[in-house]
C-alpha cells in the first residue's frame, strides 16, 4: 500500500504526519507500506519512520549517477538519503510536468535497480485512449518499451502500478472489473516475457481515486495486490483506513 504525496507537504508537515501515522501503523505486517514524499521531505520522512515497517521512496530519478542535470536527483542520492523505493514514469511525469517516454522509463528503472532501489513502474491510458477502447494497446506498448527490456533478475524486484489517467484525482475510480482486466493484461504480458512464475509473483498496484470507501471493493479482486494512493494518502487517518480496509 503506497502513498504518493505528489507536490504536497513541507518537511515540518511531513514530521507532523508521521507523528500521527507511525503509531497507527505500528506492528502492521499484512502488507508493505511506503510513502513517496517530495524529495526535500525525504530525510524528515526517513528519520520519522526509522525502525518501523514503513518504507520511503522518491517520486522520480534521473538515470545518470551525477552530472550537469539541473533539477534532477540520482538513484544513489535517494539511497544516500535513506530511501528504498522510487516511482518511475508516473503519468504526471509522462504527461504534465515532463514528457517522459517509455524509453526514459526503462533507463530510470534500470538505474533504480542498479542502485538497489525498488521501483514502482507506473503505466496507464489517458482519457481519450480509454474512450477509444485503446487501453490494452497502450498497456502492451508501455510494457514492451518500458519494462520488457529488463533482465529476469531485474524484473523480480519491480512493482507495477496501473493508474488510468482518467481516474487520477478525478474521483472517478476505475471499477474493480476494469482494474482487474487491466492487471490481467499486464500479468499476461509479464508471463510472455518473463515466464509464469515471475508473472504470478509480480505485484500490481491500482491507482486512481482510491479512498477508504472504495478500497474493499477494489481489493476483492485477486488481480489487485495493493494500491497507489494520491490525495487520500495525505491524511494519516484516511490512509490507515485504506491500509486496514485492504
Ligand atoms: P489520486 O489517488 O489522488 O487519484 O492519485 C492517484 C495517483 O496518481 C497516485 O500515484
Amino acid at each position: 500500500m503506497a502513498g504518493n504525496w505528489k507536490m504536497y507537504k513541507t518537511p515540518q508537515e511531513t514530521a507532523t504526519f508521521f507523528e500521527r501515522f507511525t503509531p497507527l501503523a505500528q506492528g502492521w505486517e499484512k502488507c508493505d507500506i511506503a510513502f513517496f514524499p517530495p524529495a526535500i521531505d525525504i530525510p524528515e520522512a526517513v528519520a520519522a519512520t526509522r525502525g518501523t515497517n514503513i518504507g520511503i521512496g522518491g517520486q522520480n530519478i534521473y538515470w545518470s549517477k551525477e552530472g550537469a542535470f539541473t533539477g534532477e536527483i540520482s538513484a544513489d542520492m535517494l539511497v544516500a538519503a535513506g530511501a528504498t523505493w522510487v516511482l518511475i514514469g508516473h503519468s504526471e511525469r509522462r504527461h504534465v510536468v515532463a514528457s517522459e517516454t517509455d524509453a526514459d522509463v526503462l533507463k530510470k528503472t534500470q538505474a533504480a535497480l542498479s542502485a538497489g532501489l525498488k521501483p514502482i513502474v507506473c503505466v496507464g491510458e489517458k482519457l481519450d485512449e480509454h474512450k477509444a477502447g485503446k487501453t490494452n494497446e497502450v498497456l502492451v506498448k508501455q510494457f514492451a518499451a518500458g519494462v520488457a527490456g529488463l533482465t529476469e533478475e531485474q524484473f523480480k524486484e519491480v512493482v507495477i502500478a496501473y493508474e488510468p489517467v482518467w481516474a487520477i484525482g478525478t474521483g472517478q475510480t476505475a471499477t474493480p472489473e476494469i482494474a482487474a482486466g487491466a492487471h490481467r493484461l499486464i500479468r499476461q504480458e509479464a508471463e510472455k516475457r518473463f515466464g509464469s512464475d515471475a508473472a504470478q509473483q509480480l505485484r500490481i498496484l491500482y491507482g486512481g481515486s482510491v479512498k477508504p470507501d472504495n478500497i474493499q471493493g477494489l481489493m476483492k479482486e485477486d488481480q489487485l495486490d495493493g494500491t497507489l494512493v494520491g490525495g487520500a494518502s495525505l491524511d494519516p487517518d484516511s490512509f490507515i483506513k485504506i491500509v486496514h480496509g485492504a
Side-chain angles (χ1 to χ4, degrees):
M1 303 301 290
N4 172 12
W5 284 0
K6 311 194 177 188
M7 201 174 76
Y8 291 97
K9 293 195 193 293
T10 62
Q12 180 55 50
E13 288 164 346
T14 299
T16 306
F17 177 94
F18 285 112
E19 271 166 34
R20 170 86 186 145
F21 185 80
T22 306
L24 295 174
Q26 197 176 12
W28 186 260
E29 286 173 354
K30 294 187 182 174
C31 60
D32 287 341
I33 301 174
F35 287 93
F36 297 83
I40 199 161
D41 299 333
I42 287 176
E44 198 72 49
V46 167
T49 56
R50 193 163 281 127
T52 72
N53 53 341
I54 301 165
I56 300 299
Q59 297 177 5
N60 174 45
I61 46 166
Y62 193 65
W63 52 78
S64 292
K65 280 191 167 298
E66 57 183 11
F69 305 107
T70 302
E72 298 293 322
I73 59 172
S74 71
D76 288 344
M77 289 169 187
L78 276 186
V79 171
T84 50
W85 293 89
V86 65
L87 297 180
I88 306 282
H90 190 277
S91 67
E92 284 145 21
R93 299 210 54 85
R94 291 177 186 260
H95 308 303
V96 183
V97 292
S99 298
E100 286 187 12
T101 64
D102 293 322
D104 296 339
V105 167
L106 180 60
K107 280 192 274 188
K108 290 180 179 211
T109 305
Q110 287 165 331
L113 291 165
S114 300
L117 290 171
K118 287 174 280 193
I120 300 184
V121 178
C122 305
V123 296
E125 80 286 5
K126 293 186 284 182
L127 179 61
D128 58 328
E129 295 163 335
H130 173 66
K131 282 188 175 158
K134 290 190 174 159
T135 300
N136 289 5
E137 194 183 310
V138 170
L139 294 176
V140 167
K141 181 181 154 292
Q142 289 177 336
F143 188 91
V147 180
L150 299 172
T151 66
E152 286 174 24
E153 276 310 300
Q154 288 175 324
F155 184 69
K156 284 185 192 154
E157 303 301 318
V158 170
V159 174
I160 292 183
Y162 169 60
E163 297 207 308
V165 181
W166 49 269
I168 295 178
T170 58
Q172 209 193 321
T173 323
T175 62
E177 295 72 26
I178 290 179
H183 286 216
R184 197 169 295 115
L185 179 94
I186 293 165
R187 222 178 279 285
Q188 279 164 5
E189 293 307 297
E191 180 167 355
K192 280 190 227 159
R193 167 66 185 86
F194 296 105
S196 67
D197 282 358
Q200 287 314 311
Q201 277 157 31
L202 170 65
R203 292 189 286 181
I204 308 179
L205 313 183
Y206 166 78
S209 298
V210 174
K211 307 286 175 207
D213 63 5
N214 59 29
I215 185 66
Q216 291 190 357
L218 287 163
M219 292 301 294
K220 275 190 190 131
E221 294 288 344
D222 285 346
Q223 282 290 336
L224 273 68
D225 301 305
T227 57
L228 177 54
V229 184
S233 72
L234 294 168
D235 176 70
D237 296 285
S238 129
F239 192 64
I240 199 71
K241 277 189 201 145
I242 293 176
V243 171
H244 290 163

